[in-house]
Each structure stands twice: as structure tokens, then as C-alpha cells.
Amino acid sequence: MKKRIYVLKERWVLIGIESDKTTEKTIYTTDTSVIRVWGTTAGLGQIALDGPTPETKLDKCGDTSFPRESVLFSIDCRV
């Protein structure tokens, strides 16, 4: 499974690997972090394409789940 950035309602931004436990209604992720500070000059796409910068602040939170309906959009990560 690929690493993805998920932008959720209520301003949460997560980065993690979608789990095979994901269902029609719930997304499960592993190795997940909240992106607290982007630390980029080119937005979230920069993190997706090049990985976190030294200024990016990630708060590890392990395995997570959230309703699919809470996802505003997601971005596939290259790294």
C-alpha cells in the first residue's frame, strides 16, 4: 500500500499508509502522523513529492481510522 496525505474536515491533516482493513465506510491507516506544521514553501504537494522538510513537524499517532466521508481530499506520496 502507498503512503497518502489525507486532508480531513475540521482541519486535520494526516500522513500514513492505508491499511488493507479499509472498508467502504472507514479508512484505516498505519504508521500515521498528524502533519502539525507543513514547513514547506510549496504546500502539501511538496511533502507528497519530496518528503517532509527539516521544518515539517509530524506528530506520530500509530494506527488510526476515520470515516471516509470526513476526507476532503487525499494526495498520493512519492516518498
Side-chain angles (χ1 to χ4, degrees), residues 56-67:
T56 302
K57 303 290 185 213
L58 300 175
D59 298 324
K60 293 183 180 188
C61 52
D63 296 343
T64 63
S65 64
F66 44 90

Side-chain angles (χ1 to χ4, degrees), residues 13 34-40 44 47 52-59:
V13 181
V34 172
I35 304 175
R36 181 168 35 96
V37 176
W38 297 3
T40 66
L44 287 174
I47 295 172
T53 71
E55 292 80 26
T56 302
K57 303 290 185 213
L58 300 175
D59 298 324

Side-chain angles (χ1 to χ4, degrees), residues 3 10 15 20-21 23 46 56 58 62 67-68 79:
K3 188 172 275 197
E10 305 302 325
I15 186 168
D20 57 5
K21 295 190 323 184
T23 67
Q46 182 179 346
T56 302
L58 300 175
R68 190 176 293 274
V79 248

Side-chain angles (χ1 to χ4, degrees), residues 1-71:
M1 295 270 181
K2 288 187 77 161
K3 188 172 275 197
R4 297 178 70 84
I5 295 172
Y6 298 91
V7 178
L8 308 179
K9 294 177 184 176
E10 305 302 325
R11 302 172 63 187
W12 290 98
V13 181
L14 305 176
I15 186 168
I17 300 168
E18 189 172 327
S19 166
D20 57 5
K21 295 190 323 184
T22 293
T23 67
E24 189 176 304
K25 293 187 176 191
T26 305
I27 296 174
Y28 292 86
T29 60
T30 61
D31 192 28
T32 310
S33 296
V34 172
I35 304 175
R36 181 168 35 96
V37 176
W38 297 3
T40 66
T41 57
L44 287 174
Q46 182 179 346
I47 295 172
L49 295 175
D50 302 327
T53 71
E55 292 80 26
T56 302
K57 303 290 185 213
L58 300 175
D59 298 324
K60 293 183 180 188
C61 52
D63 296 343
T64 63
S65 64
F66 44 90
R68 190 176 293 274
E69 67 186 25
S70 70
V71 178

